[in-house]
């Protein structure tokens, strides 16, 4: 698109300015050519906004833009060659140029080689001639300079400086209708029919694109009443469906053999799924089924679905009511458009945060007109909400959106609402290219923020500066706040996965159709006219590599799960312009030496592949920023010159067989993420140990493994983690051992382990700490004082069987999540756990008050603590005033919850107890929801008579207990336990209201 060219031209113009100042033209023997080129670039740049606006209705303008793109990609290649050449010159290693933010060295050094200088001079002359021709032809197209063309970027950036909080989450739903629809369909899905019908009944959710079908299906899928299904599996069905992959998803969801990943034949997959669902009550959700796929889906699923238990369900979302009928739906629910009031309510949730209701009301009249233009479609309303959210909240700004000529724009693809285009048009140039790039992944693809930021950097969408991460995070955040990307799920560090709504994905693919290509197979690469494909993503099995080799201009090649017919060596020789190469989960075993001839390469991903070795010349990559070798189970070593990758910012060797990194890791001082590093036992044998971390001052994420190898605490001290003022996430891991193996370690070994860990004290800025498989008897002393870690939000202590008491963690002032897993030696959690009741004195009244321990803790988890018996916390000790969630799993000897919990944890909303069958007392807790998972007990615990809950869920209780609860002679005594609980659900099938059995359809 033209505005993406604007970003390209801006970067190019900046570099040309530097060349002019360094008088490069004289050195190249082309005096005046660079000045002329810069003038031509600026002349073209003035009319790009008008070209973008009109290209959808003018094929001539579209062809003009395509020619301009080709020239600019060639120009970018020339500039990149100069940067690489300058990087090769050791004399420039200490040079600094404030003008050149891209390489940190002067251009002058590139041209000491006469032949190279002549080559570059000739290319610049050729580019100049081509651009002059393009500039002349713009007059014939009637392109004009639009008002405000050069104001947009600064305006958007200034807004972003006020709107970059990634923790903001905008609501997705509004109105009572979705609540009513959820209730209706959950009841239908969970009711037991007695009409002798087939085992599986089908329900269809029908509606146009963007109307909220998937949102409704998600609410149903995550509803607590659905827990009665033994299997719950969600599968996204794209328009270009691959039935084999759908079946693999179903098999994985049913916890089947992962060997199915290599199976391609229906004759093997169908019986495998049949065996996994045999006799089980399941719920399958097939999201976004199209006409093209419904027949084969129904055919393949017929046999497996017939094997499920009575009461199984298939839920299908589709835009076409006929698809639901042909899938055999006995119930079809059509999602209706939002009413004006519900649409306004949704818009308010997108735009406003803390404004008063009276202030919001001033915008209602304009807002209702915008909702009307969005035709009641939630996705369109959210898109406009994203635009308004980024603007100053004035009626003038809202009126400008309402009067935008985009509302009458023609030439958009079918199903793309004009509101989506308006949202795209409002982006700055850098954000437009970042948004379109996201469509390069397969439909319904989930990816992490860091994954996409490094790709943006590799493609040149982000400048290779020290603050690229903050800039990339800002781009990511804005795309989320504008509702152009959707955050789905959260990992243990709080980082969310991303996906695009299928309509936005289709729209982004349309915008990038002339240079991006996403294929299931490589046999149908298509371009319009002479346009070159620049980015190619293939998710398939047998790939026709000969087709790929024809695309000489490729900058990005993503081969997901692919098996090319010919070797990688041929591909590398053919595709010399690659910046990004993703071979993850491929079957390549050897990376050829020709790979290292890809001088432009910035991004290399071979995770989960069959790679056994890396080329010895891998250190030749001058600009490689991303190298992912994780889960390469056949890769045992890396070449010595890997330490020459001085631009490397990301290195991941987690779960590979790489146990040693050559000495010199300290040279990779631009690393900001290092995952899976196993420090060598000392620094004397040619391998990197902990001391090599000392110079890595830019680290944001650090994950260490096999720390038991280090016995010298001085090496840990030399790592100097305390000085790393960028570090946010730290994982300290040891080799996985069973509880028995951990407990059998000698006291000397345990003491050494403790000493090393004490020296690995993180800086105050760290927000997340994970300690895994540690076998010391005590946690590190730096966890015992909130003064050391004032910003720590997340703490996970995983599988540490030897430590005997939970550390005094109550002083951590900002801790929000605490998880303790597998602490087998802990018998008692005493008052020391809550140490943090600091007395403060009021200087005027001289009275004393006690600050609560764990002042911001929101979630607390105790898992698999086999010997834990007591939890002491008296009511005089204030603590956990903001605790929302308490989970206790598999703590079989715990007998009671402490008195202080019910006295002080007044914000508690959810209590989830599983595998704690000896628990007899929980005090007078008040919670919104309590989940009780019973496995062997035959009576309900007495503490149900004291707990004050709005909702109680009893899951997986024995048939005998269930029969006892609902039987005529026993129900009376059991009901007493439920009189004070408004709603009780048993196994997802029984519901009591105020002690009255209202649904007895258990079978």
């Amino acid at each position: 698109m033209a505005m993406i060219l604007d970003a390209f031209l801006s970067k190019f113009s900046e570099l040309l300015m530097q060349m002019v100042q360094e008088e490069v033209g004289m050195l190249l023997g082309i005096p005046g050519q660079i000045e002329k080129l810069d003038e031509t670039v600026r002349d073209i740049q003035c009319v790009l906004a008008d070209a973008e606006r009109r290209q959808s209705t003018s094929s001539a303008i579209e062809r003009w833009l395509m020619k301009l793109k080709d020239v600019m990609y060639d120009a970018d290649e020339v500039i990149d060659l100069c940067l690489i050449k300058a990087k090769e010159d050791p004399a420039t290693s200490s040079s600094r140029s404030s003008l050149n933010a891209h390489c940190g060295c002067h251009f002058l050094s590139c041209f000491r080689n006469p032949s190279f200088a002549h080559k570059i001079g000739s290319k610049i002359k050729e580019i100049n001639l081509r651009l002059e021709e393009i500039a002349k032809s713009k007059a014939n197209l009637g392109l004009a300079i639009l008002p405000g063309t050069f104001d947009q970027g600064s305006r958007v950036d200034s807004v972003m400086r006020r709107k970059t909080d990634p923790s903001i989450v905008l609501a997705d739903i509004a109105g009572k209708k979705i609540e009513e629809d959820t209730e209706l369909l959950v009841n239908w899905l969970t009711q037991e029919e007695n009409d002798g019908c087939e085992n599986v009944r089908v329900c269809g959710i029908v509606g146009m694109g963007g109307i909220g079908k998937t949102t409704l299906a998600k609410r149903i899928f995550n509803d607590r009443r659905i827990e009665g299904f033994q299997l719950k599996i969600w599968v996204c069905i794209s328009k270009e469906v691959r039935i084999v992959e759908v079946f693999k998803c179903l098999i994985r969801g049913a916890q089947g053999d992962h060997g199915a990943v290599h199976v391609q034949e229906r004759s093997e997959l169908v019986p495998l799924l049949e065996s996994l669902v045999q006799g089980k009550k399941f719920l399958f959700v097939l999201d976004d089924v199209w006409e093209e796929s419904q027949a084969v889906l129904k055919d393949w699923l017929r046999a497996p679905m017939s094997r499920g238990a009575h009461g199984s369900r298939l839920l299908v979302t589709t835009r076409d009511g006929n698809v639901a009928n042909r899938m055999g739906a006995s119930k079809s629910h059509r999602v209706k458009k939002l009413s004006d009031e519900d649409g306004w309510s949704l818009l308010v949730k997108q735009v406003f945060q803390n404004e008063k209701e009276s202030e919001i009301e001033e915008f209602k009249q304009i807002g209702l007109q915008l909702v009307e233009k969005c035709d009641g479609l939630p996705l369109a309303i959210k898109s406009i909400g994203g635009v308004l959210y980024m603007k100053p909240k004035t009626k003038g700004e809202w009126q400008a959106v309402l009067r935008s000529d985009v509302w009458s724009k023609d030439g958009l693809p079918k199903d793309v609402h004009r509101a989506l285009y308006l949202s795209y048009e409002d982006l700055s140039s850098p954000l437009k290219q970042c948004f379109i790039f996201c469509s390069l992944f397969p439909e319904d693809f989930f990816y992490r923020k860091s994954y996409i930021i490094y790709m943006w950097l590799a493609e040149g969408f982000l400048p290779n500066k020290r603050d690229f991460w903050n800039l990339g995070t800002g781009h990511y955040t804005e795309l989320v706040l504008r509702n152009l990307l959707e955050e789905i799920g959260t990992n243990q560090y709080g980082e969310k996965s991303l996906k695009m709504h299928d309509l936005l994905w289709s729209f982004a693919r349309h915008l990038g159709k002339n240079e991006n290509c996403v294929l299931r197979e490589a046999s149908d690469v298509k371009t319009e006219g002479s346009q070159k494909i620049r980015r190619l993503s293939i998710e398939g099995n047998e790939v026709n590599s000969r087709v790929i080799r024809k695309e000489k201009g490729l900058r990005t090649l993503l081969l997901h799960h692919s098996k090319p017919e010919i070797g990688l060596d041929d591909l590398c020789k053919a595709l010399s312009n690659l910046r990004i190469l993703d071979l993850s989960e491929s079957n390549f075993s050897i990376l050829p030496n020709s790979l290292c001839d890809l001088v432009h390469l910035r991004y290399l991903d071979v995770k989960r592949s069959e790679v056994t070795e890396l080329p010895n010349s891998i250190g030749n990559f001058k600009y490689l920023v991303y190298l992912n070798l994780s889960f390469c189970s056949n890769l045992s070593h890396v070449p010595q010159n890997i330490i020459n990758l001085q631009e490397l910012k990301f290195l991941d060797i987690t779960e590979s067989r790489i146990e040693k990194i050559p000495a010199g890791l300290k040279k990779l001082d631009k690393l900001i993420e290092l995952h899976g590093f196993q420090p060598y036992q000392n620094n004397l044998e040619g391998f990197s140990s902990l001391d090599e971390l000392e110079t890595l001052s830019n680290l944001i994420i650090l994950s260490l493994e096999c720390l038991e190898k280090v016995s010298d605490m001085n090496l840990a001290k030399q790592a100097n983690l305390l000085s790393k003022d960028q570090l946010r996430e730290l994982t300290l891991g040891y080799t996985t051992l069973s509880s028995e193996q951990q407990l059998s370690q000698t006291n000397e070994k345990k003491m050494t382990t403790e000493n090393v860990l004490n020296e690995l004290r993180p800086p105050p800025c760290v927000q997340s700490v994970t300690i895994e498989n540690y076998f010391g008897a005590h946690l590190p002393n730096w966890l015992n004082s909130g003064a050391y870690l004032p910003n720590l939000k997340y703490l996970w202590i995983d599988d540490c069987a030897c430590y005997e008491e939970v550390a005094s963690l109550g002083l951590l002032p900002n801790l929000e999540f605490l998880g303790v897993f597998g602490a087998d030696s802990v018998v008692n959690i005493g008052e020391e756990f809550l140490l943090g009741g600091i007395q403060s004195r009021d200087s005027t009244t001289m009275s004393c008050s006690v600050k609560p321990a764990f002042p911001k803790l929101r979630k607390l988890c105790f898992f698999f603590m086999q010997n834990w018996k007591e939890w002491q916390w008296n009511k005089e000790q204030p603590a956990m005033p903001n605790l929302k969630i308490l989970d206790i799993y598999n703590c079989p000897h715990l007998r009671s919850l402490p008195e202080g919990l019910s006295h002080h944890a007044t914000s508690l909303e959810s209590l989830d107890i599983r595998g704690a069958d000896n628990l007899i007392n929980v005090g007078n807790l008040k919670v919104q929801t309590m989940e009780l998972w019973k496995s062997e007990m035959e009576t309900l615990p007495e503490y149900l008579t004291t707990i004050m809950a709005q909702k109680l869920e009893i899951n997986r209780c024995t048939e005998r207990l269930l029969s006892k609860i609902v039987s005529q002679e026993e129900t009376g005594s059991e009901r007493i336990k439920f009189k004070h609980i408004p709603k009780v659900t048993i196994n997802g099938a029984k519901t009591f209201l105020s002690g009255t059995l209202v649904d007895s359809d258990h079978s």
Side-chain angles (χ1 to χ4, degrees), residues 576-627:
S576 60
N577 288 317
L578 281 180
R579 265 75 168 166
I580 296 174
L581 180 58
D582 187 342
L583 304 173
S584 56
E585 301 187 55
S586 67
N587 69 335
F588 294 111
S589 59
I590 296 177
L591 299 181
N593 287 326
S594 57
L595 175 72
C596 300
D597 294 331
L598 300 175
V599 295
H600 301 285
L601 198 69
R602 264 81 165 169
Y603 184 107
L604 178 61
D605 190 342
V606 294
K607 67 177 177 290
R608 299 185 186 276
S609 69
E610 298 178 13
V611 167
T612 59
E613 61 180 297
L614 303 178
N616 289 327
S617 53
I618 193 171
N620 292 347
F621 287 124
K622 300 304 177 184
Y623 277 95
L624 193 71
V625 296
Y626 183 99
L627 179 58

Side-chain angles (χ1 to χ4, degrees), residues 783-784 786 807-813 815 832-837 852-855:
L783 278 176
N784 293 333
S808 303
L809 304 173
L811 283 172
L812 295 167
L815 192 67
E832 71 283 350
F833 175 56
L834 299 173
L835 186 62
F854 296 107

Side-chain angles (χ1 to χ4, degrees), residues 896-965:
S896 66
L897 299 185
E899 183 182 17
L901 182 68
S902 56
H903 194 75
H904 293 289
T906 55
S907 298
L908 194 64
E909 296 176 355
S910 172
L911 175 63
D912 190 347
I913 299 176
R914 311 184 187 196
D917 292 343
N918 285 312
L919 189 65
I920 59 175
N921 179 26
V922 300
N924 296 313
L925 272 178
K926 295 181 180 180
V927 296
Q928 293 294 316
T929 301
M930 178 178 179
E931 287 188 70
L932 177 64
W933 295 69
K934 307 298 293 179
S935 55
E936 299 177 358
M937 298 298 292
E938 296 185 359
T939 60
L940 292 176
E942 288 298 321
Y943 61 71
L944 291 183
T945 62
T946 62
I947 192 167
M948 303 299 294
Q950 294 299 307
K951 183 178 179 182
L952 170 65
E953 298 177 17
I954 304 174
N955 298 299
R956 297 185 184 175
C957 59
T958 61
E959 288 293 326
R960 182 171 179 177
L961 176 57
L962 183 60
S963 299
K964 182 178 179 181
I965 293 173

Side-chain angles (χ1 to χ4, degrees), residues 883-899:
L883 187 67
K884 303 289 186 185
I885 301 170
L886 175 60
D887 292 342
I888 299 175
Y889 297 174
N890 294 88
C891 300
H893 298 294
L894 182 65
R895 297 184 61 80
S896 66
L897 299 185
E899 183 182 17

Side-chain angles (χ1 to χ4, degrees), residues 342-357:
D342 283 348
W344 166 243
S345 177
L346 179 59
L347 186 65
V348 167
K349 290 182 178 181
Q350 308 303 305
V351 181
F352 298 101
Q353 295 298 315
N354 300 312
E355 287 80 2
K356 297 178 182 178
E357 189 171 341

Side-chain angles (χ1 to χ4, degrees), residues 361-491:
E361 193 68 20
E362 296 178 11
F363 294 88
K364 186 170 183 178
Q365 183 179 358
I366 306 174
L368 287 172
Q369 294 179 68
L370 287 168
V371 167
E372 183 179 356
K373 284 186 175 292
C374 292
D375 198 26
L377 294 177
L379 181 63
I381 295 171
K382 286 172 62 180
S383 296
I384 292 302
V387 172
L388 297 173
Y389 180 79
M390 304 307 301
K391 296 179 179 295
K393 292 179 177 57
T394 67
K395 288 185 177 179
E397 292 285 356
W398 282 49
Q399 287 284 4
V401 173
L402 183 63
R403 293 194 302 265
S404 171
D405 59 3
V406 170
W407 295 113
S408 58
K409 184 176 178 61
D410 296 323
L412 294 178
K414 182 183 177 182
D415 292 334
V416 174
H417 197 281
R418 292 184 178 93
L420 303 186
Y421 188 84
L422 193 153
S423 183
Y424 166 77
E425 189 180 60
D426 193 61
L427 296 175
S428 64
S429 300
L431 276 171
K432 285 182 176 179
Q433 56 192 7
C434 290
F435 168 68
I436 293 176
F437 187 86
C438 292
S439 70
L440 194 61
F441 306 102
E443 188 178 0
D444 298 312
F445 184 79
F446 292 82
Y447 45 91
R448 293 174 55 194
K449 177 180 76 172
S450 61
Y451 178 81
I452 197 66
I453 287 178
Y454 286 111
M455 284 194 170
W456 288 343
L457 175 65
E459 264 283 2
F461 301 158
L462 300 173
N464 191 7
K465 299 179 181 179
R466 184 176 180 180
D467 65 345
F468 87 92
W469 183 259
N470 291 333
L471 184 59
T473 299
H475 287 357
Y476 154 84
T477 301
E478 183 167 353
L479 289 174
V480 171
L481 292 175
R482 287 177 175 272
N483 294 308
L484 295 174
L485 290 180
E486 181 182 4
E487 291 183 325
I488 305 291
T490 306
N491 68 7

